[in-house]
Amino acid sequence: SVILILIGQNLDKPFWGEHDWNGVRYGNIARNYLRYGLLDTKLGQVENSGYVGKGEFGYYTHYPPLLPLSIVFSYRFLGISEWATRLIPILFTSLSIVLILLIGSKLWDFRIGIMASGLALATPMVLYFGKNASHEPLTLFLILLTFFGYLHFSKTGKLAYKLLFILGLIFAQLSAWAGYFLIPSITLVFLLK
């Protein structure tokens, strides 16, 4: 809850400023998913403002669609607003801090996990960008989740951790291009280990 309070400050401020264009773009794409439906958009990120016909869709193709698809869930239950848009990155940033704690505890000990997560939370960039509706909070969480699954699977061999690793890897690649760096990175860790 402390994490949510620290990162969630000014949750409902209007989108304006240096990086709030992300919230406008991905919020608009999420709104279009609700407006036109996932089947009519073919999961493509429709950028048009206002209503247009199916043949007039303008698509955003620079990033995979997981972020705006996640924002759709927030909009569906909470309505379309700035704070509903920011809620998704805040939740994923908070979960990333928890995963840093768990990974640090697993690799070293609980004290190191607390210190690592506290340092991450105290970083001004985490506090600033942690609520920005961009791909980084989502991708960071999924990369950490993938590593967490790999770490536990390599030590225990349990199927649940293997599944967590595989799902984390797939969703990391659906969130941003940084997720694609996991395959060679984790392969290298595995070979060197």
Side-chain angles (χ1 to χ4, degrees):
S1 63
V2 171
I3 300 168
L4 289 172
I5 292 169
L6 286 173
I7 298 171
Q9 294 177 26
N10 300 318
L11 182 64
D12 60 345
K13 88 172 182 62
F15 286 132
W16 63 271
E18 185 66 30
H19 297 100
D20 278 347
W21 63 269
N22 288 301
V24 173
R25 168 173 267 157
Y26 297 116
N28 183 51
I29 292 168
R31 185 186 65 203
N32 284 336
Y33 279 136
L34 289 175
R35 177 183 290 157
Y36 302 114
L38 299 177
L39 293 177
D40 284 346
T41 62
K42 297 178 179 79
L43 293 178
Q45 300 177 72
V46 176
E47 282 200 297
N48 301 79
S49 308
Y51 186 80
V52 296
K54 288 183 199 178
E56 300 172 10
F57 288 164
Y59 291 100
Y60 180 68
T61 58
H62 297 287
Y63 280 95
L66 193 58
L67 175 65
L69 287 170
S70 301
I71 295 171
V72 166
F73 288 106
S74 181
Y75 284 2
R76 171 92 53 208
F77 296 108
L78 303 171
I80 298 171
S81 67
E82 283 89 351
W83 75 273
T85 306
R86 287 188 180 104
L87 186 61
I88 295 300
I90 287 171
L91 288 174
F92 282 110
T93 300
S94 300
L95 291 171
S96 293
I97 299 298
V98 171
L99 277 174
I100 290 170
L101 167 73
L102 295 174
I103 290 169
S105 297
K106 180 74 174 171
L107 289 175
W108 293 281
D109 61 33
F110 183 73
R111 189 175 49 103
I112 297 294
I114 286 286
M115 188 168 57
S117 62
L119 286 171
L121 186 58
T123 305
M125 296 305 277
V126 169
L127 296 174
Y128 177 76
F129 285 108
K131 68 175 142 266
N132 189 7
S134 64
H135 296 275
E136 286 78 12
L138 179 61
T139 308
L140 175 63
F141 166 73
L142 292 167
I143 288 171
L144 288 170
L145 184 68
T146 302
F147 184 69
F148 180 78
Y150 170 78
L151 187 65
H152 281 278
F153 175 69
S154 66
K155 298 217 187 244
T156 66
K158 291 185 178 178
L159 183 62
Y161 291 120
K162 183 178 184 178
L163 185 61
L164 186 67
F165 166 71
I166 292 169
L167 288 175
L169 189 61
I170 290 168
F171 283 105
Q173 292 174 359
L174 287 172
S175 66
W177 306 121
Y180 288 87
F181 294 113
L182 281 173
I183 294 173
S185 302
I186 288 182
T187 303
L188 187 62
V189 168
F190 177 75
L191 291 174
L192 293 176
K193 188 177 172 188

